[in-house]
Amino acid sequence: MLCGFLTLALAGCAAPRDAGSPATPQTRTTTAAPTGIPGIGDRFQRRIPADARQVVAVYGDGVDAPDSTVVLYTKRGAGWDRTRSWPAHNGKKGWTADHHEGDKRSPVGVFTLTDAGGVLKDPGSKLPYTRSAAFTAPRWWAKSHWHDFDYVIAIDYNRVKGTPPNDPTRPEGDRKGGGIWLHMDHGSGTSACVSLSRPAMEYLLRTLDPDRHPVVVMGDRAALAS
């Protein structure tokens, strides 16, 4: 697992000795290897695109747990800086590497973040933002859910990039599910999305930058570390 600082020692070559001349001392040069994102193992680290400069890491408390922590990391040189973190929720039944429609589990993986939207006006999003009343949660849902989609950021799982988050197209078919978003929190687990507080969503909308190619790395902690 790439975690913390790894160092690679490179031994320099000693200069050849001439007869009667003193030996030239051997020198050693140490360079630091790129720092990985904490808690993310090689399997998922390798899936992060080389041009990604922003990573939203979603650390699920457990494979069957609805609670998680979201951390925003920003690439600085060879390493990743922890920028902000927030408590969050994921699927009511936890996580899965084989998400299907209606399983109440969030998909484990690495996905790009390209589009945003919501009921409320654009708060200053750097991602393309679509404001529409079509995001309004049904009023037959519990009142605590009515503001879930005031702000959303589409997770590019089984969707067409460059379209509004609520575009219904499912390239891999309806059975694989879709409409997986970062959205506003209602205090408990979701159908499959990741939910955060309004301040957290506003911060992400204003910070995630298409020029930095943001991605989300998400899953339960054991899966992410594998």
Side-chain angles (χ1 to χ4, degrees), residues 45 49-50 52 62 67 87 110 115 117 119 155-156 163 198:
Q45 195 79 42
D67 303 310
V110 179
D115 302 281
V119 176
I155 293 172
D156 292 335
T163 63
R198 176 170 178 164

Side-chain angles (χ1 to χ4, degrees), residues 79-94:
W80 292 91
D81 285 351
R82 182 186 177 104
T83 307
R84 288 285 185 94
S85 66
W86 307 271
H89 290 99
N90 49 266
K92 295 175 183 178
K93 294 186 177 180

Side-chain angles (χ1 to χ4, degrees), residues 2-190:
L2 273 179
C3 181
F5 287 95
L6 301 177
T7 56
L8 177 64
L10 301 176
C13 297
R17 298 185 183 182
D18 294 327
S21 66
T24 302
Q26 187 179 34
T27 60
R28 296 177 67 85
T29 302
T30 301
T31 58
T35 305
I37 296 173
I40 307 298
D42 288 347
R43 184 163 65 102
F44 289 102
Q45 195 79 42
R46 286 193 294 265
R47 297 182 190 178
I48 298 174
D51 59 0
R53 294 295 179 268
Q54 292 175 320
V55 167
V56 177
V58 184
Y59 299 98
D61 284 1
V63 65
D64 298 320
D67 303 310
S68 52
T69 300
V70 169
V71 182
L72 174 63
Y73 292 97
T74 304
K75 191 73 173 288
R76 308 287 186 194
W80 292 91
D81 285 351
R82 182 186 177 104
T83 307
R84 288 285 185 94
S85 66
W86 307 271
H89 290 99
N90 49 266
K92 295 175 183 178
K93 294 186 177 180
W95 298 89
T96 179
D98 186 25
H99 174 69
H100 290 88
E101 185 72 29
D103 64 11
K104 306 297 183 184
R105 291 179 180 270
S106 297
V108 176
V110 179
F111 310 101
T112 53
L113 300 169
T114 56
D115 302 281
V119 176
L120 299 181
K121 68 178 182 179
D122 185 349
S125 176
K126 288 184 169 66
L127 297 172
Y129 187 92
T130 301
R131 183 187 186 188
S132 173
F135 287 100
T136 304
R139 286 306 183 255
W140 49 266
W141 287 8
K143 191 173 181 179
S144 59
H145 293 255
W146 286 4
H147 296 284
D148 281 10
F149 311 136
D150 282 359
Y151 293 130
V152 306
I153 298 171
I155 293 172
D156 292 335
Y157 169 88
N158 195 20
R159 71 177 300 270
V160 178
K161 299 179 186 179
T163 63
N166 57 352
D167 184 293
T169 307
R170 304 284 181 260
E172 297 179 54
D174 290 342
R175 185 171 177 273
K176 291 291 291 181
I180 310 296
W181 299 341
L182 301 174
H183 67 65
M184 303 263 281
D185 191 58
H186 53 254
S188 61
T190 69

